[in-house]
Amino acid sequence: MFVKQISVFLENKPGRLSEITRVLSEKNIDISAISIADTTQFGILRMIVNKPKEAVDAIKEAGFPVSTTDVLAVEVADRPGGLNNALQVLRQAGVSVEYLYSFIKRSEDKALILFRVEDPRKAVEALKSAGIKLYGSDEIASL
Amino acid sequence: MYWNKTRECMPREEIEAHQLHKLKETVDRVYHNVESYRHKMQQRGLLPEDIKSLEDLRILPFTTKQDLRDNYPTGLFASPLSEIIRIHASSGTTGKPTVVGYTRRDISNWAELVARCLVMGGGRRDSVVQVSYGYGLFTGGLGFHYGAEKLGAVVIPTSGGNTRRQVMLMKDLKTEILACTPSYALYIAETMNEMGIDRSELSLKTGIFGAEPWTENMRNEIQAKLGIKALDIYGLSEVIGPGVACECGEQEGLHIFEDYFIPEIIDPVTEEPLPPGEKGELVITTIDKEGLPVIRYRTRDITSINYEPCACGRTHARIEKLLGRTDDMLIIRGVNVFPSQIESVLMAAGETEPHYLLIVDRVDNLDSLEVWVEVSEKLFADEVRKLEDVRQKIASDIYTTLGISVNVKLVEPHTIERSEGKAKRVIDKRKM
């Protein structure tokens, strides 16, 4: 029910992000979602890729601190109110969202949003019982 | 003007006779009261009676900061705690500062020394003295406070910080003598500028500045900006605190009070004595201290000594302005910082082999310390909040241990240069 997200520590200096994309492109790894959390000093790059294991090894080898995190891939209708629907469910369940970002690809008239929540189990339960579709790693890969 | 003309202008033969007499007393005192000194002397087959001349000082073993640490907290005290009335401490490794103790007589003698320094700076009974050194475990604040009270001056104990209020009090109460670190003096000058207060509105005549190294250029800048005479004072808590040596109005070296201390200059490597005029490590023996006498204390400060008579009439030898160290100690805003102390904080934070770099700079005349820490797999977390917590935890642990605020910067692994296995730990950008 979870999707593996790769997080990388990047210092705020020129060329760091392109170093990661260089490493991944050399290994022929596809990035399907990407976001950066930035502070005045450093950034955390978060990505969903088609080959997480290989990606982690390659980034590690390039000398960056890297970790993997489970996130939720939530399907929402790509129209006004679509995201709101999912967030209202989480709100009612009392689950707070740490961060979210969206997928680059989409399926038909649906958008895919990646959620990192405080209590993943509770979130999955609430979203499922509200009839909201969650994607697993395999489904993501076949998009 | 002298505070104690008899003592400060003693002829050399009298100084030496006094020193020998007091040295014998001190050696006898530590031999009988302090296990560590007795043990060291016994190892060398020495008895207190073996000290027959001032030259015999050289047969005694050195004392180092490590000896104070090994005997933490009060193992080197030569007086029972019932006689001790004050404790001061300098920063140490995690949780272990260097503790020093004073008897009532020590406090009185210390005040005598600081009073001499204040008089060197033109202090009188009716002078207004503002003490902007930190009050507390640090010897600066209370050391000056008692000295200024002994002189009978009007003491304004502002301690450090709240600079605008300091300037206001300085102006309104007509402060004549300012005691603080030289970098803080410059900061005060800048604050005056911001407040639109001209130096002509103040009554300042003299500044007695110490607790950190400062150059002649910095002296000129302070003198010009504040319109005062800036004197350098030297001291270290292990010996007594501020008032070990101080410049007179001639500003040509710091008179070291030889009726209380015997200075030696040695080659820090061979440990052999060096002749007057040659630069080496300053070694100090206290000869009139009860609570914590030190024999041949290795200050790690580099200077030279000059026995030539001074135009001011004082006969005590002068040491050159102190600028260098024989070890890696940094002085940041008056606080002694060893890189190893930062290292132990990082180790306690969970880093088994921390890679770090200390960047010292002087921004707007205040020292700044930036600590670069490489983010290991173990430190890294996916959330910004957790990484910010790591930064703040390290900064607050350093503050707890050393009492200085630092800026912690998380950097990628292998950012910090390594050479021959030993990483460069410090970049000091201050222009000394």
Side-chain angles (χ1 to χ4, degrees), chain A:
Chain A
M1 242 340 82
F2 299 115
V3 177
K4 284 258 173 279
Q5 168 194 269
I6 295 171
S7 308
V8 187
F9 179 87
L10 295 178
E11 242 181 89
N12 285 356
K13 55 186 188 190
R16 303 319 288 154
L17 181 58
S18 67
E19 179 63 14
I20 299 289
T21 53
R22 185 188 64 81
V23 166
L24 294 182
S25 79
E26 270 175 14
K27 299 272 173 188
N28 204 22
I29 291 167
D30 186 38
I31 303 169
S32 53
I34 187 161
S35 111
I36 289 185
D38 71 317
T39 72
T40 52
Q41 283 194 348
F42 59 85
I44 299 174
L45 170 68
R46 297 170 180 138
M47 295 176 292
I48 306 295
V49 299
N50 62 340
K51 294 178 273 186
K53 241 190 162 49
E54 276 181 49
V56 166
D57 290 344
I59 294 168
K60 226 180 235 183
E61 203 174 309
F64 293 88
V66 57
S67 72
T68 58
T69 315
D70 287 335
V71 293
L72 303 175
V74 182
E75 184 188 85
V76 303
D78 192 5
R79 58 170 169 76
L83 177 60
N84 179 51
N85 190 29
L87 284 173
Q88 289 302 334
V89 170
L90 292 177
R91 180 188 166 184
Q92 268 155 31
V95 177
S96 64
V97 177
E98 305 277 358
Y99 55 80
L100 59 76
Y101 56 105
S102 69
F103 243 73
I104 296 163
K105 294 172 185 170
R106 45 175 278 173
S107 64
E108 296 162 11
D109 57 345
K110 306 290 187 189
L112 261 184
I113 309 289
L114 294 152
F115 280 78
R116 168 72 182 164
V117 295
E118 190 191 54
D119 187 343
R121 279 177 195 288
K122 209 165 151 189
V124 167
E125 214 171 278
L127 291 166
K128 272 188 163 173
S129 58
I132 293 172
K133 187 176 179 201
L134 294 170
Y135 283 61
S137 299
D138 295 346
E139 288 161 283
I140 294 284
S142 67
L143 277 179

Side-chain angles (χ1 to χ4, degrees), chain B residues 108-330:
Chain B
S108 166
N109 283 343
W110 186 15
E112 153 84 20
L113 297 174
V114 174
R116 288 183 191 178
C117 302
L118 286 163
V119 173
M120 285 176 172
R124 301 171 314 272
R125 267 189 69 105
D126 55 355
S127 300
V128 180
V129 178
Q130 189 158 332
V131 183
S132 307
Y133 282 110
Y135 278 63
L137 284 175
F138 173 53
T139 49
L142 285 167
F144 257 94
H145 186 98
Y146 277 69
E149 279 194 356
K150 185 149 199 159
L151 172 65
V154 182
V155 189
I156 315 177
T158 43
S159 193
N162 203 342
T163 312
R164 282 173 174 259
R165 192 180 60 179
Q166 300 248 8
V167 173
M168 182 188 76
L169 290 171
M170 199 177 286
K171 178 170 169 257
D172 296 347
L173 291 167
K174 301 188 166 42
T175 301
E176 289 160 50
I177 299 179
L178 171 67
C180 62
T181 60
S183 50
Y184 194 61
L186 279 175
Y187 189 72
I188 286 176
E190 259 165 40
T191 307
M192 278 167 50
N193 241 342
E194 283 168 21
M195 294 168 73
I197 292 179
D198 188 77
R199 62 179 219 213
S200 62
E201 296 173 59
L202 304 183
S203 312
L204 271 189
K205 291 193 178 77
T206 314
I208 302 185
F209 305 128
E212 64 185 18
W214 50 309
T215 55
E216 283 302 327
N217 284 342
M218 209 167 157
R219 190 210 299 272
N220 294 338
E221 198 181 338
I222 295 173
Q223 295 193 146
K225 285 187 172 164
L226 289 174
I228 59 171
K229 192 164 233 184
L231 303 181
D232 192 4
I233 185 167
Y234 174 74
L236 58 170
S237 63
E238 295 87 342
V239 171
I240 201 160
V244 172
C246 188
E247 278 178 341
C248 61
E250 302 297 320
Q251 296 177 311
E252 289 199 357
L254 295 78
H255 288 282
I256 179 159
F257 299 117
E258 290 189 87
D259 50 339
Y260 286 88
F261 313 107
I262 303 180
E264 296 172 83
I265 304 290
I266 63 161
D267 179 320
V269 179
T270 64
E271 300 182 342
E272 287 302 314
L274 293 173
E278 262 186 55
K279 272 191 186 12
E281 182 181 337
L282 176 63
V283 173
I284 295 176
T285 300
T286 64
I287 51 172
D288 204 344
K289 212 154 161 249
E290 295 177 337
L292 181 66
V294 286
I295 305 287
R296 306 192 82 198
Y297 186 75
R298 301 280 299 258
T299 66
R300 307 287 171 193
D301 286 313
I302 295 171
T303 185
S304 64
I305 198 158
N306 172 12
Y307 290 94
E308 297 298 313
C310 178
C312 76
R314 289 178 184 81
T315 51
H316 295 195
R318 284 168 290 164
I319 51 172
E320 193 187 355
K321 222 166 176 326
L322 298 104
L323 286 174
R325 297 273 306 171
T326 66
D327 58 14
D328 59 357
M329 189 181 89
L330 298 161

